[in-house]
């Protein structure tokens, strides 16, 4: 206990903060920007959403361009590493060695993105997309809820599906909770856009 706070209390505070709508909107806007940036300015590679990389990588292979396909493979591998690290952080195994692992994870992500922001266009695209893929995967692994609702900070398809489902339930069943969920998913989708 430090100043009346226990580790469990600290973990609860971080969990409560990381599940607010404001936090979700911040992550959603940042991730939408990052995917647009890497696709438009860093070689047509998606850093956050790996579906596009799987499709474009397979297309490049089928076109007989394996070197171009590899450009889509590295972000996928970085994504695996980021989700793995997030799972390790959530497991609680790190808590005894590193106090406040969620805070350290956010600091790492912010540092990586700040450094990337200052990199000149001459830096190879793969350095940027791989780094962003890694931190985006950590975000997906660590931050997937707004209150009791599940959402994706890096893509909008699942959020759109949940918007329609909650909207339908809210209208058809006159369910106030579903209408509120629909509103939250609409805001998340708008911020992603």
């Amino acid at each position: 206990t430090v100043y009346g706070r226990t580790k469990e209390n600290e973990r609860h505070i971080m969990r409560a903060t990381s599940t607010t709508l404001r936090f979700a909107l911040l992550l959603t806007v940042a991730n939408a920007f990052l995917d647009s940036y890497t696709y438009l300015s860093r070689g047509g590679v998606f850093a956050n959403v790996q579906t596009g990389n799987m499709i474009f990588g397979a297309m490049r292979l089928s076109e007989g361009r394996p070197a171009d396909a590899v450009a889509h493979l590295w972000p996928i591998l970085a994504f695996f590493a980021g989700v793995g690290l997030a799972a390790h952080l959530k497991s609680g195994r790190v808590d005894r060695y590193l106090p406040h692992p969620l805070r350290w994870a956010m600091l790492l992500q912010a540092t990586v993105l700040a450094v990337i922001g200052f990199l000149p266009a001459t830096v190879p695209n793969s350095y940027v997309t791989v780094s962003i893929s890694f931190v985006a995967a950590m975000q997906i692994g660590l931050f997937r809820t707004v209150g009791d609702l599940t959402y994706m900070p890096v893509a909008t398809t699942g959020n759109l599906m949940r918007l329609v489902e909650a909207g339908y339930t809210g209208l058809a069943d006159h369910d106030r909770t579903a209408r509120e969920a629909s509103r939250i998913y609409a805001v998340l989708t708008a911020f992603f856009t």
Side-chain angles (χ1 to χ4, degrees), residues 3 42-43 51 58 71 74 84 94 99 102 111 114 120 123 129 132 136-137 141 153 157 159 163 174-175:
Y3 302 111
R42 290 294 184 165
T51 303
W74 297 121
V94 176
L102 286 180
T111 302
V123 170
T129 56
I132 293 173
T157 304
N159 297 337
L163 164 66
H174 307 288
D175 184 326

Side-chain angles (χ1 to χ4, degrees), residues 89-164:
L89 291 173
K90 286 189 327 186
S91 74
R93 292 181 181 97
V94 176
D95 290 355
R96 63 181 162 243
Y97 305 109
L98 181 68
H100 316 294
L102 286 180
R103 290 180 186 174
W104 286 105
M106 288 304 298
L107 178 62
L108 171 65
Q109 293 173 42
T111 302
V112 167
L113 295 176
V115 168
I116 286 170
F118 288 103
L119 292 177
T122 56
V123 170
N125 293 336
S126 61
Y127 293 175
V128 173
T129 56
V130 167
S131 300
I132 293 173
S133 292
F134 178 75
V135 297
M138 285 180 61
Q139 287 179 12
I140 289 173
L142 294 172
F143 310 112
R144 292 187 280 211
T145 58
V146 176
D148 293 334
L149 301 175
T150 301
Y151 84 106
M152 283 298 263
V154 300
T156 195
T157 304
N159 297 337
L160 283 169
M161 176 192 69
R162 290 176 185 99
L163 164 66
V164 173

Side-chain angles (χ1 to χ4, degrees), residues 10-11 23 35 41 63 104 113 128-129 137 142 149 167 182 184 188-189:
E10 285 286 326
R11 192 176 295 131
F23 187 79
D35 240 7
S41 301
E63 296 166 352
W104 286 105
L113 295 176
V128 173
T129 56
L142 294 172
L149 301 175
S182 178
I184 289 171
L188 286 165
T189 302

Side-chain angles (χ1 to χ4, degrees), residues 5 13 16 19 33 54 92 99 107:
R5 293 184 181 186
I13 291 168
T19 61
F33 170 79
M54 299 290 279
L107 178 62

Side-chain angles (χ1 to χ4, degrees), residues 14-104:
M14 276 304 291
R15 204 174 306 121
T17 301
S18 68
T19 61
T20 63
L21 180 58
R22 181 174 29 170
F23 187 79
L25 293 175
L26 176 65
L27 289 181
T28 300
V29 166
N31 283 299
F33 170 79
L34 289 170
D35 240 7
S36 299
Y37 166 71
T38 58
Y39 185 78
L40 296 172
S41 301
R42 290 294 184 165
V45 174
F46 291 105
N48 295 353
V49 182
Q50 300 309 314
T51 303
N53 289 327
M54 299 290 279
I55 292 168
F56 288 134
M59 287 172 48
R60 299 307 169 258
L61 276 176
S62 72
E63 296 166 352
R65 298 169 37 200
D68 292 337
V70 170
H72 296 279
L73 176 63
W74 297 121
I76 294 168
L77 295 175
F79 187 85
F80 286 171
V83 170
L85 179 58
H88 187 61
L89 291 173
K90 286 189 327 186
S91 74
R93 292 181 181 97
V94 176
D95 290 355
R96 63 181 162 243
Y97 305 109
L98 181 68
H100 316 294
L102 286 180
R103 290 180 186 174
W104 286 105

Side-chain angles (χ1 to χ4, degrees), residues 165-185:
E165 290 174 345
Y168 173 80
T169 301
L171 290 173
D173 297 340
H174 307 288
D175 184 326
R176 190 178 294 160
T177 303
R179 283 196 302 267
E180 177 60 16
S182 178
R183 183 190 71 75
I184 289 171
Y185 287 124

